[in-house]
Amino acid sequence: MSANSSTPSPTSGSPSDDDNDLTAGLDLGFDGAEDLLRVWRQGMRPDPNLTVSEWADQHRWLSSRGAAEPGRYRTARAPYLREIMDALSPGHPAQRITFMKAAQVGATEAGNNWIGFVIHHAPGPMLAVLPSLELAKRTSRGRLDPLIADSPALRERVSPSRSRDAGNSMLSKEFPGGILVLTGANSATGLRSMPARYVFLDEVDAYPASADEEGDPVTLAEARTTTFSHRRKVFMVSTPTIRGLSRIEREFEASDQRRYFVPCPHCGTMQWLQFDRLRWAKGKPETAAYHCEGCERPIAEHHKTDMLAKGEWRATAVSKDPKAIGFHLSALYSPLGWKSWSDVAREWLAAQGSDETLRVARNTLLGETWVESGDAPEWQRLADRREAWKPGTVPMAGLFLTAGADVQRDRIEVDIWAWGRGMESWLVDHIVIPGGPDDPAAWDRLSALLGRSWQHANGAFMTVARLGIDTGYEAAAVYAWSRKVGFEQVAPLKGLEGFNRSAPVSGPTYVDATIGGKRLRRGARLWSVATATFKAETYRFLRIERPSDEDRALGVLDAPGTVHIPGWADTEWLKQLVAEQLVTIRNKRGYAHQEWQKMRERNEALDCRVYARAAAWILGADRWDEATWRRLEAQAGVETRMPSATATDIATQDPAQPKAGTLTTPRRKRRAYTPNFMRD
């Protein structure tokens, strides 16, 4: 071998004194000794201390098979990704990194850079989870194979894909010191197959609710990192979907919620880009420009490159977990040549007119969740509309009372609602009875409520006409109590899902059993309630606008269905009242249906409202005639509110001539119906 070929390369460095000490006394006269020493010295030298972004700039090459801009990867092209990628480096303290983003901002490539870094610089077991097994296979072929093939540092560590080489298959890539396994969120077997130090969860909002009926895929995947304790890294990426159902939004809101602040080229004000500050001439999205929140001057698109380069991530909240950080990015940050501001404006205008296209635009352009049209109003708006009246009293227009009771493990919550014409309603009382279904004292206190009275604003006293109580928890105990107090004033309720029912309440049916398990011939009278119908009605009523002070001075009354909330109703109760939203769900065959989903754990106020409303329906309030309402008003001492006559209502024709469509022979008068609670 020639002297030149045996000379250590410049990258190897010259032999040090330590090297000479280690080789002292060794016979180095054989052919190839210098090459052996060179390789040995390279192995002894520690790897450079690179971050993920630095590794990508040095070693990552983009293939034309999976990138619009092939060639060497440059973090400077999308500088906002630098901090996100560096948080995935072993030296960063964060363990859970969440990235809620719009489409086309480079998030998937950042994840691929992390995979390449792990293979090359920080080997260990890694799990990459895609929404389905089929998508995992496509990702392996379309992204990971080019990643490995086009980056020399990875190509020498991962064996070529061959049918006889088990180390590099479609869903498994072995490398020195570790292994990368790809799986689908729909495969429980893949999610529990191995311990993992690194977990890459891509497009988590597209994951199914459960993996093979074994639980949440995100939870199953994260459980794989338990044995790695403080050394683990979990990277969660997704475009969000529907508020309340979005996993990525839930994780982001639990993090420190970092936003990318960029400087205004005119005044230097640091700000994060928001869609409502992107403005354009009507019908001309090509004129779109961003308006600075500091100086209000328009910012042209060509300033974006410099703005992104000078930007910085800033936390806007305090994380519940100090080791969890979160990033949010909209398409407004997309670099020049990817998606322009005029493209964003054009796509937003094209989405108008359809909830489905608006939902896609909000998710993919703004990186924000979609709020379904059936969603409840914000609790803060309800708080601002609270009214002042004495706790425990019935306002003037309230004509009868019903109650809704929700049975919990350690308490029974009861709301008392007053109802008036047009199902206008007022919250009269909120009562929490400590003790669960196994506590006789709790049932005794609930029984006492049936005999309690609430004073009307006119001085009359009212009792609860009907109490609706849920049987979803400890149904046998509810049946037993209902049978004990009697079914004249109590209605056990069973909630049913769905809207397609001929009536919101059906029944009653006789269901009950003795202690020995024998069915009673005429047991508890159970009513079935389509809770979705009454929830939709409640939220529709909550959105009714109230008359202004000027309108009230002119005699304008509240619209039928208006919900009145007293000033003593606290924030927690208001949040419970709007704790659910109506969402569209698609089954495995793609068929869509709507259902109510909880946005927070506690929703007792909404449930109690539904039960009280069902009790009013069972009383017949939805079917009472005018005479019944007048008798109720007479009992309460309330003056009947008759609509004022208009000029068109006054007949000018000869009274001797009958009107068209009227009977000349008077119909026999029907006996007026009187509800039981109104009878003496």
Side-chain angles (χ1 to χ4, degrees), residues 164-180:
R164 294 184 180 181
D165 187 358
N168 185 357
S169 63
M170 188 174 296
L171 296 178
S172 177
K173 312 288 184 183
E174 290 186 5
F175 49 90
I179 183 174
L180 169 65

Side-chain angles (χ1 to χ4, degrees), residues 217-237:
V218 173
T219 304
L220 292 175
E222 284 199 82
R224 302 293 90 206
T225 67
T226 303
T227 56
F228 286 91
S229 184
H230 63 280
R231 297 187 297 152
R232 69 173 189 156
K233 292 280 185 180
V234 178
F235 186 32
M236 198 177 304
V237 180

Side-chain angles (χ1 to χ4, degrees), residues 66-199:
E69 300 177 359
R72 182 179 290 278
Y73 183 88
R74 293 180 297 120
T75 303
R77 188 75 173 93
Y80 48 76
L81 293 176
R82 187 181 306 278
E83 185 169 333
I84 299 174
M85 289 191 289
D86 289 351
L88 299 168
S89 305
H92 197 283
Q95 293 184 10
R96 289 170 56 84
I97 299 93
T98 301
F99 189 14
M100 184 170 75
K101 48 83 179 182
Q104 297 183 354
V105 293
T108 301
E109 290 305 327
N112 291 337
N113 289 340
W114 184 39
I115 291 175
F117 175 86
V118 168
I119 294 174
H120 188 191
H121 264 274
M126 187 175 197
L127 179 66
V129 184
L130 283 300
S132 66
L133 273 174
E134 180 59 34
L135 190 56
K137 294 176 181 178
R138 278 193 287 164
T139 298
S140 178
R141 290 192 300 265
R143 289 188 178 272
L144 292 187
D145 287 347
L147 167 70
I148 295 169
D150 297 334
S151 300
L154 304 181
R155 192 167 57 240
E156 65 183 21
R157 284 167 172 77
V158 181
S159 301
S161 179
R162 298 190 301 268
S163 59
R164 294 184 180 181
D165 187 358
N168 185 357
S169 63
M170 188 174 296
L171 296 178
S172 177
K173 312 288 184 183
E174 290 186 5
F175 49 90
I179 183 174
L180 169 65
V181 173
L182 291 90
T183 188
N186 57 347
S187 171
T189 303
L191 293 174
R192 62 168 184 261
S193 60
M194 67 172 198
R197 178 181 176 183
Y198 309 107
V199 175

Side-chain angles (χ1 to χ4, degrees), residues 213-457:
E213 307 300 326
E214 292 194 20
D216 176 44
V218 173
T219 304
L220 292 175
E222 284 199 82
R224 302 293 90 206
T225 67
T226 303
T227 56
F228 286 91
S229 184
H230 63 280
R231 297 187 297 152
R232 69 173 189 156
K233 292 280 185 180
V234 178
F235 186 32
M236 198 177 304
V237 180
S238 187
T239 300
T241 50
I242 300 173
R243 170 142 341 146
L245 297 182
S246 173
R247 289 185 176 96
I248 198 70
E249 182 188 52
R250 184 167 60 247
E251 294 293 336
F252 175 73
E253 290 182 345
S255 73
D256 57 3
Q257 301 180 29
R258 302 186 182 191
R259 309 274 187 175
Y260 199 64
F261 284 71
V262 294
C264 170
H266 307 303
C267 67
T269 300
M270 296 295 288
Q271 58 203 287
W272 64 276
L273 304 183
Q274 303 178 60
F275 180 70
D276 59 358
R277 304 203 69 83
L278 183 68
R279 299 164 189 170
W280 57 90
K282 186 175 181 179
K284 296 181 178 180
E286 65 275 6
T287 63
Y290 192 87
H291 287 248
C292 172
E293 68 179 33
C295 64
E296 291 293 339
R297 294 175 62 184
I299 302 173
E301 184 96 28
H302 67 267
H303 290 294
K304 188 191 292 185
T305 300
D306 188 56
M307 293 167 64
L308 294 179
K310 296 178 180 178
E312 60 184 38
W313 287 101
R314 294 181 181 177
T316 60
V318 177
S319 178
K320 296 180 180 178
D321 179 358
K323 295 182 179 179
I325 61 176
F327 303 86
H328 176 265
L329 210 67
S330 72
L332 297 178
Y333 291 92
S334 188
L336 290 180
W338 291 9
K339 185 182 288 292
S340 67
W341 287 339
S342 59
D343 291 338
V344 172
R346 188 175 294 106
E347 291 182 25
W348 182 260
L349 288 175
Q352 304 305 305
S354 167
D355 280 355
E356 192 64 29
T357 55
L358 269 176
R359 170 183 164 181
V360 173
R362 189 172 185 86
N363 295 161
T364 60
L365 295 178
L366 309 187
E368 297 176 357
T369 51
W370 169 255
V371 180
E372 293 279 0
S373 58
D375 193 18
E378 294 292 337
W379 69 267
Q380 185 60 58
R381 189 171 72 85
L382 299 183
D384 296 338
R385 290 176 48 175
R386 287 178 293 188
E387 306 169 46
W389 71 78
K390 187 178 178 181
T393 59
V394 183
M396 182 65 70
L399 301 180
F400 68 98
L401 304 179
T402 65
D406 187 21
V407 180
Q408 300 288 328
R409 181 180 58 84
D410 58 350
R411 67 192 185 282
I412 302 175
E413 300 217 8
V414 185
D415 282 344
I416 312 296
W417 286 87
W419 304 89
R421 284 180 177 266
M423 302 316 296
E424 190 174 357
S425 59
W426 297 259
L427 177 65
V428 172
D429 212 342
H430 171 66
I431 302 162
V432 179
I433 300 174
D438 57 347
D439 185 359
W443 294 113
D444 291 342
R445 295 189 186 97
L446 186 60
S447 300
L449 281 180
L450 300 177
R452 178 179 165 183
S453 60
W454 286 261
Q455 189 171 16
H456 192 273

